[in-house]
Amino acid sequence: MSANTGSKDKRNTDGFSEEERAAIKERAAELKKEAGRGRGNKAAAEELDVLSKIAEMEPSDRAVAERIHAIVTANAPELAPKLWYGQPAYARKGKVVCFFRSGHVDKEPYSTFSFTAEANLADDSGLWPTSFAVTELNDEAAKTITTLVKAAVR
């Protein structure tokens, strides 16, 4: 053992940062909560969880998350809102297609809206969008997200 063992940062000694551990704990709690819900109320309860999480966000993130929620639910009604690692996500048959991450939660200067491999965005060019930094949604940005969400569920 070296004398410097105690001087390592938390990421190296524990494996995960505090934010990563918090996200993992939130995901475990989400899975436990999902397992305890009956089928009949699950979709409504999961959307309520998402709306509650959005309501708790910092005002700037809340405004973006509310608009993204409205865009996704209006343009891809087949996607079900749910929490994923403690953040709003939208899934098809239980698999997350797109999600919002709060910049405040991640201690980043911007939030992100991202797509998983479940989204139908891959094309023959070898390059396609998967994640966007977002600080606000003007009409042009909202139009881009709308187009991508529609493409993701085709």
Side-chain angles (χ1 to χ4, degrees), residues 6 8 22 34 37 50 52 67 69 78 81 92 128 137 149:
K8 289 182 181 178
E34 286 176 15
R37 289 185 171 149
V50 167
S52 294
R67 191 151 185 212
H69 181 78
E78 63 268 51
R92 177 179 41 225
W128 57 87
L137 278 184
V149 166

Side-chain angles (χ1 to χ4, degrees), residues 6-7 9 15 19 30 32-33 42 45 80 83 93 111 121-122 124-125 136 142 148 153:
S7 66
D9 67 35
E19 291 81 15
E30 290 162 11
K32 186 175 180 180
K33 194 174 192 180
K42 186 175 180 181
L83 290 179
K93 296 180 183 174
S111 297
L121 298 177
D124 295 335
S125 73
E136 63 180 78
L148 290 168
V153 296

Side-chain angles (χ1 to χ4, degrees), residues 2-154:
S2 80
N4 291 337
T5 303
S7 66
K8 289 182 181 178
D9 67 35
K10 286 186 180 184
R11 178 179 293 276
N12 290 337
T13 59
D14 296 340
F16 295 105
S17 70
E18 287 181 35
E19 291 81 15
E20 289 167 332
R21 282 195 301 277
I24 291 167
K25 286 179 184 177
E26 282 196 65
R27 183 64 182 141
E30 290 162 11
L31 291 171
K32 186 175 180 180
K33 194 174 192 180
E34 286 176 15
R37 289 185 171 149
R39 284 190 175 257
N41 296 328
K42 186 175 180 181
E46 287 184 336
E47 183 163 16
L48 183 59
D49 289 345
V50 167
L51 294 172
S52 294
K53 180 58 77 172
I54 291 171
E56 295 171 1
M57 291 179 180
E58 295 288 326
S60 58
D61 279 349
R62 184 180 327 119
V64 172
E66 286 173 345
R67 191 151 185 212
I68 286 173
H69 181 78
I71 290 168
V72 174
T73 56
N75 292 285
E78 63 268 51
L79 296 182
K82 66 182 278 177
L83 290 179
W84 194 50
Y85 294 97
Q87 297 294 304
Y90 304 87
R92 177 179 41 225
K93 296 180 183 174
K95 295 186 178 183
V96 172
V97 173
C98 56
F99 59 96
F100 177 81
R101 291 272 329 149
S102 165
H104 287 93
V105 168
D106 291 338
K107 297 182 182 166
E108 297 289 341
Y110 54 83
S111 297
T112 57
F113 182 67
S114 305
F115 295 90
T116 69
E118 293 298 319
N120 295 322
L121 298 177
D123 64 30
D124 295 335
S125 73
L127 177 71
W128 57 87
T130 60
S131 188
F132 295 87
V134 58
T135 55
E136 63 180 78
L137 278 184
N138 61 26
D139 290 340
E140 185 176 336
K143 184 177 177 183
T144 298
I145 288 176
T146 299
T147 300
L148 290 168
V149 166
K150 286 178 179 180
V153 296
R154 272 192 219 125

